[in-house]
Amino acid sequence: MAAPRACRLRGIRLVLPAALLLAGGGWLWPGAAKQPPGIPAGITADIRVGYGGYVVPDVWIPVVLRLRSDREIAGWVEVVTARLRPPGQERVQVPVHLLPGVPLRVTVPAVVHDPRAPLAVRLLEKEVVTAQWQADVLPGRLADAVVLGLTARPVGLQQLLDPGGRVRVAYVGEDELPARWQLYEGVSAVVIRDLADHRLVPAQVEALAGWVASGGRLFVASSLQELAAHPSLRPFLAAPVQPPPFPGAPETVYAWGRGRVTVLPFDPFRADLPPEEGAAWVRLLRAPAPQAFVETRSLLAILPDRPGTSRWLQGAVVLVLALYLGLLRTILRWLLGGKAGRLLAAALLLGMTAVMATLNLAARRAAFSFVQGAVALGLPERQAAVVESVGRVILPRRGTFSLHAGAEVLVRSLGAAETSLLLDQVVRFEGTAHVLPVHAVALLPLAVRGSYREGPEGVEVQIENRSGRRLSNPVVFQGGRIQSVPPPEPEVRVVLSPLRWRDPPADGGRDLRSRLWAWAFDRLRSDAILSQTVHLVAWLDDDRGLLRWPTAAPLLLVLPLSRVEGVP
Amino acid sequence: MTLNPVTRGDLRSRLVSPKILWMVRVYLAVLGVFALASLPPESGRLAGMAPGQVLRVGLVLQLAAVVYLTSALAAGEIGVEGEKQILDLAVTSFNPRTIALGKLWTSALTAGGLVAAAVPLWALVAPPEAEAAFALGRAMVVMVPVALSLAAVGPWLTAAIPSDLARTVVHWSMLLALFLATRWLAEPLVAINPMRLLGAAHLGAPLWPLALLPYAAVVGAGVTLATRTVARVRRAGVP
């Protein structure tokens, strides 16, 4: 086995054993896995789990497969990860079309919950497993986070990290940068020294920018002139410049959404880094990354634990039952009243049955749906928003719940369940648990932006909404207080009165929308300790939103407003 | 078609009886609470019980209630104001067979009425699929002959056992025998156990109607016993 590999492969499917014994083990890439015994001849796979071989548990990581087949195969590749507590499996499927003799590179997002449980990688054809491999995660390759180093000479960064720590450096090439921003979840920083733009696809550029905007840290070791020469990095230069985080730190820092792009005036990969620069660099790397605005657990905590039958439905059922019991005397009397009376009694019984059946349908429709809270954190620089949604799936009596996921959405279960995620298609949850917490995240286009400037008359706010979605009940949050503003249709410019600021609601009450509303201000107040950014908070119509859930869900928009200098 | 005069009299008494009204209300209220607790997703909250099982438990509960109430009314354990037992009817001019069949009809209509009264409640919790509705219908149909088998013996019990306490003890013994003792029968006789029969009808097991034959035999025996008792009373003055 080659040194940097994270996974060891062995075949577990016994198909054409004689042919495989003859085929033996083959090597597809340098340092790639041995051709496992037990798979059909003519199909090979190289499997790389994680970032440069390092695996960060419990976050989305890339599983990169390089497949090759002697015949044409149109099917699916699935990666199955298991966990012990709570027990369950997660299955992510990606469509593949293999042409004879042409290697195909596929990246499958996966979450490794239990490093002791190997990953199963399967190639399916017409829903039949054609080949299957197993990838073990070696204990020495586990990490708390990974620093991605994009350089032509993969040495130099690891000397700066605490050897006893669990943050590892993974040197990657351009083609190894994730094309889904969620796959940066286990990455604490990206350091770029050598970048060949032509080797990046637009999705990788988008993913990098989206990750930085959602709170990622990007370090670029080059001059500003060199930076401007890179088309994929040039947009960062248009972002507002921030003061250095500490004295002696690099002075060129751009604020990109919640994240930062720092231009390093030195080469951090150098072995002979001067002590001052080395110290500053270590301090930069060890600085905590911006806290995610949406804390999954805190958002989940505001949802009702067990939605159950709604109160109005329970009330309606009790009312109808009471009415039925009250009408019993009349029914019994009608039965004595000849043929007409018996017909009336039968009609009443039939009507009551119809009412109950209607209530039954209403209860079922509500019961199998999803109670969710979704927050869209606007990233005006990208004309996009990171939408995070947590909720609880009510598994119906057959134990399976399916829903359609929009493009770019990754969904995972936070409880015990078998989860099947067919990328861009269907998410299916199967399990014995009755209520299953789930988490979905996506980066969606959202053309909403706003700015503010402070003048002698107060704060002037300008908001522009070109998203095609309606914003309702917008308020501006500044310094722990809020003030309502008119909805932008599509633009609004208003000077906020110093007399109309009020405290945001502290307690959300029982209604989910109110609780989500209060939760957002609570998070903004916590954020305000670190940053004095002014925010717009509003409800966002989400009929074309993140996931096509059976029921509508409140979607809250939190949009940082950019500061504009000068007099209004 | 004219209704049996004995049945007509019994029904008139039962339909105006406040005791029967409250009995049916309590019966429906208990089933209603059960149905409310079985509403999805509430049913999944019962530990160790799947939603489908909740429905079956509810059906067993209803079966027990229908069998008990029907047979207790027939055996005079639950007395209804104005309703005449077969000893009272023996001194009338009605044919003994008319009296026995009239009592049987009364019990059949009572059991059918109790089952029908619960239909709206099951409409509240039944899965909204045609197959599930048929399964539920089969299970509810089974309740009537099972209840009728014990109720058919009831009129004879009222004549044969004058003591209310002794009659109640015998009635409960019969109930326990029907529901519990039949569980220890060997295959395939165990199929006559009311709960097994209910389950078989609900699931649509093959040949489940065959298990109703012993119940039909008991009904026939009960009618014969009641007819002979009335005839004996008329002939000898004592049952």
Side-chain angles (χ1 to χ4, degrees), chain A residues 196-244:
Chain A
D197 291 271
H198 67 276
R199 295 188 63 191
L200 290 176
V201 296
Q204 288 176 299
V205 178
E206 283 295 313
L208 181 63
W211 167 70
V212 176
S214 64
R217 294 182 302 165
L218 173 65
F219 298 99
V220 185
S222 71
S223 66
L224 282 175
Q225 290 76 17
E226 287 171 348
L227 185 63
H230 289 293
S232 51
L233 301 178
R234 200 179 302 137
F236 293 121
L237 298 177
V241 177
Q242 293 287 301

Coordinates of all heavy atoms in Angstrom, one line a residue, chain A residues 196-244:
Chain A
A196 N -3.3 26.9 -11.2 CA -3.5 27.0 -12.7 C -5.0 27.1 -12.9 O -5.7 26.1 -12.8 CB -2.9 25.7 -13.3
D197 N -5.4 28.3 -13.2 CA -6.9 28.5 -13.4 C -7.5 27.6 -14.4 O -8.7 27.2 -14.2 CB -7.1 30.0 -13.7 CG -6.8 30.9 -12.6 OD1 -7.7 31.2 -11.8 OD2 -5.6 31.4 -12.6
H198 N -6.8 27.3 -15.5 CA -7.4 26.5 -16.5 C -7.7 25.1 -16.1 O -8.4 24.4 -16.8 CB -6.5 26.5 -17.8 CG -5.2 25.8 -17.5 ND1 -4.1 26.4 -16.9 CD2 -4.8 24.5 -17.8 CE1 -3.1 25.5 -16.8 NE2 -3.5 24.3 -17.4
R199 N -7.1 24.7 -15.0 CA -7.4 23.3 -14.5 C -8.6 23.3 -13.6 O -9.0 22.2 -13.1 CB -6.2 22.8 -13.8 CG -5.0 22.6 -14.7 CD -3.9 21.9 -14.0 NE -4.3 20.5 -13.6 CZ -3.6 19.7 -12.8 NH1 -2.4 20.2 -12.3 NH2 -4.0 18.5 -12.5
L200 N -9.2 24.4 -13.3 CA -10.4 24.5 -12.5 C -11.7 24.6 -13.3 O -11.7 25.3 -14.3 CB -10.4 25.7 -11.5 CG -9.3 25.7 -10.4 CD1 -9.4 27.1 -9.7 CD2 -9.6 24.6 -9.4
V201 N -12.7 23.9 -12.9 CA -14.0 24.0 -13.6 C -14.8 25.0 -12.8 O -14.5 25.3 -11.6 CB -14.7 22.6 -13.6 CG1 -14.0 21.6 -14.5 CG2 -15.0 22.1 -12.2
P202 N -15.8 25.7 -13.5 CA -16.5 26.7 -12.8 C -17.1 26.3 -11.5 O -17.2 27.1 -10.5 CB -17.6 27.1 -13.8 CG -17.0 26.7 -15.2 CD -16.1 25.5 -14.9
A203 N -17.6 25.0 -11.4 CA -18.2 24.6 -10.2 C -17.2 24.6 -9.0 O -17.6 24.9 -7.9 CB -18.7 23.2 -10.3
Q204 N -15.9 24.4 -9.3 CA -14.9 24.4 -8.2 C -14.7 25.9 -7.8 O -14.5 26.1 -6.6 CB -13.6 23.8 -8.7 CG -13.6 22.3 -8.9 CD -12.3 21.8 -9.5 OE1 -12.0 22.2 -10.6 NE2 -11.6 21.0 -8.8
V205 N -14.7 26.8 -8.7 CA -14.5 28.2 -8.4 C -15.7 28.7 -7.5 O -15.6 29.3 -6.5 CB -14.4 29.1 -9.6 CG1 -14.3 30.5 -9.3 CG2 -13.2 28.6 -10.5
E206 N -16.9 28.3 -8.0 CA -18.1 28.6 -7.2 C -18.1 28.0 -5.8 O -18.5 28.7 -4.8 CB -19.4 28.1 -8.0 CG -19.8 28.9 -9.2 CD -20.2 30.4 -8.8 OE1 -21.0 30.5 -7.8 OE2 -19.7 31.3 -9.4
A207 N -17.6 26.8 -5.7 CA -17.6 26.1 -4.4 C -16.7 26.8 -3.5 O -17.0 27.0 -2.3 CB -17.2 24.6 -4.6
L208 N -15.5 27.2 -4.0 CA -14.5 27.9 -3.2 C -15.0 29.2 -2.7 O -15.0 29.5 -1.5 CB -13.2 28.1 -3.9 CG -12.1 28.7 -3.2 CD1 -11.6 27.9 -2.0 CD2 -10.9 29.0 -4.1
A209 N -15.6 30.0 -3.6 CA -16.2 31.3 -3.2 C -17.3 31.1 -2.2 O -17.5 31.9 -1.3 CB -16.6 32.0 -4.5
G210 N -18.2 30.1 -2.5 CA -19.3 29.9 -1.6 C -18.9 29.5 -0.2 O -19.4 30.0 0.8
W211 N -17.8 28.7 -0.1 CA -17.3 28.3 1.2 C -16.7 29.5 1.9 O -17.0 29.6 3.1 CB -16.3 27.2 1.0 CG -15.5 26.9 2.2 CD1 -16.0 26.3 3.4 CD2 -14.1 27.2 2.5 NE1 -15.0 26.2 4.3 CE2 -13.8 26.8 3.8 CE3 -13.1 27.8 1.7 CZ2 -12.6 26.9 4.3 CZ3 -11.9 27.9 2.2 CH2 -11.6 27.5 3.5
V212 N -15.9 30.3 1.2 CA -15.3 31.5 1.9 C -16.5 32.4 2.4 O -16.5 32.9 3.5 CB -14.4 32.2 1.0 CG1 -13.9 33.5 1.6 CG2 -13.2 31.3 0.6
A213 N -17.5 32.6 1.5 CA -18.6 33.5 1.9 C -19.3 33.0 3.1 O -19.9 33.7 3.9 CB -19.5 33.6 0.7
S214 N -19.4 31.7 3.3 CA -20.1 31.1 4.4 C -19.2 31.1 5.7 O -19.7 30.5 6.7 CB -20.6 29.7 4.1 OG -19.6 28.9 3.9
G215 N -18.0 31.5 5.6 CA -17.2 31.6 6.8 C -15.8 31.0 6.7 O -15.1 30.8 7.6
G216 N -15.5 30.6 5.4 CA -14.2 29.9 5.2 C -13.0 30.9 5.2 O -13.2 32.1 5.1
R217 N -11.8 30.4 5.4 CA -10.6 31.2 5.4 C -9.7 30.8 4.2 O -9.3 29.7 4.1 CB -9.8 31.1 6.7 CG -10.6 31.6 7.9 CD -9.8 31.5 9.1 NE -9.4 30.1 9.4 CZ -8.5 29.7 10.3 NH1 -7.8 30.7 10.9 NH2 -8.2 28.5 10.5
L218 N -9.4 31.8 3.4 CA -8.6 31.5 2.2 C -7.3 32.4 2.3 O -7.4 33.6 2.6 CB -9.4 31.9 0.9 CG -8.6 31.8 -0.4 CD1 -8.1 30.4 -0.7 CD2 -9.4 32.3 -1.5
F219 N -6.2 31.7 2.2 CA -4.9 32.4 2.2 C -4.3 32.3 0.8 O -4.2 31.2 0.3 CB -4.0 31.9 3.3 CG -4.5 32.0 4.7 CD1 -5.2 30.9 5.3 CD2 -4.4 33.2 5.4 CE1 -5.7 31.0 6.6 CE2 -4.9 33.3 6.7 CZ -5.6 32.2 7.3
V220 N -3.8 33.4 0.3 CA -3.2 33.4 -1.0 C -1.8 33.9 -0.8 O -1.6 35.1 -0.4 CB -4.0 34.2 -2.0 CG1 -3.4 34.1 -3.4 CG2 -5.5 33.8 -2.1
A221 N -0.8 33.1 -1.2 CA 0.6 33.5 -1.1 C 1.0 34.0 -2.4 O 1.6 33.3 -3.2 CB 1.4 32.3 -0.6
S222 N 0.7 35.3 -2.6 CA 1.2 35.9 -3.9 C 1.0 37.4 -3.7 O 0.4 37.9 -2.8 CB 0.4 35.4 -5.1 OG -0.9 35.9 -5.1
S223 N 1.6 38.2 -4.7 CA 1.4 39.6 -4.7 C 0.0 39.9 -5.2 O -0.6 39.1 -5.8 CB 2.5 40.3 -5.5 OG 2.2 39.9 -6.9
L224 N -0.4 41.2 -5.0 CA -1.7 41.6 -5.5 C -1.8 41.5 -7.0 O -2.8 41.2 -7.6 CB -2.1 43.0 -5.0 CG -2.6 43.1 -3.5 CD1 -2.7 44.5 -3.1 CD2 -3.8 42.3 -3.3
Q225 N -0.7 41.9 -7.6 CA -0.7 41.8 -9.1 C -0.9 40.4 -9.6 O -1.6 40.1 -10.5 CB 0.7 42.4 -9.6 CG 0.9 43.9 -9.4 CD 1.2 44.2 -8.0 OE1 1.6 43.4 -7.2 NE2 1.1 45.5 -7.7
E226 N -0.2 39.5 -8.9 CA -0.3 38.1 -9.3 C -1.7 37.6 -9.1 O -2.3 36.8 -9.8 CB 0.7 37.2 -8.6 CG 2.1 37.4 -9.1 CD 3.1 36.7 -8.1 OE1 2.7 36.3 -7.1 OE2 4.3 36.6 -8.5
L227 N -2.2 38.0 -7.9 CA -3.6 37.6 -7.6 C -4.6 38.1 -8.6 O -5.5 37.4 -9.0 CB -4.0 38.2 -6.2 CG -5.3 37.8 -5.6 CD1 -5.3 36.3 -5.3 CD2 -5.5 38.6 -4.3
A228 N -4.4 39.3 -9.1 CA -5.3 39.9 -10.1 C -5.2 39.2 -11.4 O -6.2 39.2 -12.2 CB -5.1 41.4 -10.3
A229 N -4.1 38.5 -11.6 CA -4.0 37.7 -12.8 C -4.7 36.4 -12.9 O -4.9 35.8 -13.9 CB -2.5 37.5 -13.1
H230 N -5.2 36.0 -11.7 CA -6.0 34.7 -11.7 C -7.4 35.0 -11.8 O -8.0 35.6 -10.9 CB -5.7 34.0 -10.3 CG -4.3 33.5 -10.2 ND1 -3.9 32.4 -10.9 CD2 -3.3 33.8 -9.4 CE1 -2.7 32.1 -10.6 NE2 -2.3 33.0 -9.7
P231 N -8.1 34.6 -12.9 CA -9.5 34.9 -13.0 C -10.4 34.3 -11.9 O -11.4 34.9 -11.5 CB -9.9 34.2 -14.4 CG -8.6 34.0 -15.1 CD -7.5 33.9 -14.0
S232 N -10.0 33.2 -11.4 CA -10.8 32.6 -10.3 C -10.7 33.3 -9.0 O -11.5 33.1 -8.1 CB -10.4 31.1 -10.2 OG -9.1 31.0 -10.0
L233 N -9.6 34.0 -8.8 CA -9.4 34.7 -7.5 C -9.7 36.2 -7.6 O -9.8 36.9 -6.6 CB -8.0 34.5 -7.0 CG -7.5 33.1 -6.8 CD1 -6.1 33.0 -6.3 CD2 -8.4 32.4 -5.7
R234 N -9.7 36.8 -8.8 CA -9.9 38.2 -9.0 C -11.1 38.8 -8.3 O -11.1 39.9 -7.8 CB -9.9 38.5 -10.5 CG -9.6 40.0 -10.8 CD -9.6 40.2 -12.3 NE -8.7 39.3 -13.0 CZ -8.9 38.7 -14.2 NH1 -10.1 38.8 -14.8 NH2 -8.1 37.9 -14.8
P235 N -12.3 38.1 -8.4 CA -13.5 38.7 -7.7 C -13.3 39.0 -6.2 O -13.9 39.9 -5.7 CB -14.5 37.6 -7.9 CG -14.1 36.8 -9.0 CD -12.6 36.8 -9.0
F236 N -12.4 38.3 -5.6 CA -12.2 38.6 -4.1 C -11.6 40.0 -3.9 O -11.8 40.6 -2.9 CB -11.2 37.6 -3.5 CG -11.8 36.2 -3.5 CD1 -11.1 35.1 -4.1 CD2 -12.9 35.9 -2.8 CE1 -11.6 33.8 -4.1 CE2 -13.4 34.6 -2.7 CZ -12.8 33.6 -3.4
L237 N -10.9 40.5 -4.9 CA -10.2 41.8 -4.8 C -11.3 42.9 -4.7 O -10.9 44.0 -4.3 CB -9.3 42.1 -5.9 CG -8.1 41.1 -6.0 CD1 -7.2 41.4 -7.2 CD2 -7.2 41.2 -4.8
A238 N -12.5 42.7 -5.2 CA -13.5 43.7 -5.2 C -14.2 43.8 -3.8 O -15.0 44.7 -3.6 CB -14.5 43.4 -6.2
A239 N -13.9 42.9 -2.9 CA -14.5 42.9 -1.6 C -14.0 44.0 -0.7 O -12.8 44.4 -0.9 CB -14.3 41.5 -0.9
P240 N -14.7 44.4 0.3 CA -14.2 45.4 1.2 C -12.9 44.9 2.0 O -12.8 43.8 2.3 CB -15.3 45.6 2.2 CG -16.5 44.9 1.7 CD -16.0 43.9 0.6
V241 N -12.0 45.9 2.2 CA -10.8 45.5 2.8 C -11.0 45.6 4.4 O -11.7 46.6 4.8 CB -9.7 46.5 2.4 CG1 -8.4 46.2 3.2 CG2 -9.4 46.4 0.9
Q242 N -10.5 44.7 5.1 CA -10.6 44.6 6.5 C -9.3 45.0 7.2 O -8.2 44.8 6.6 CB -11.0 43.2 6.9 CG -12.4 42.8 6.5 CD -13.5 43.5 7.3 OE1 -13.6 43.4 8.5 NE2 -14.3 44.3 6.5
P243 N -9.4 45.5 8.4 CA -8.1 45.7 9.1 C -7.5 44.3 9.5 O -8.2 43.3 9.6 CB -8.5 46.4 10.4 CG -10.0 46.1 10.6 CD -10.5 45.9 9.2
P244 N -6.2 44.3 9.6 CA -5.5 43.0 10.0 C -6.0 42.5 11.4 O -6.4 43.3 12.2 CB -4.0 43.3 10.0 CG -4.0 44.8 10.1 CD -5.2 45.3 9.5

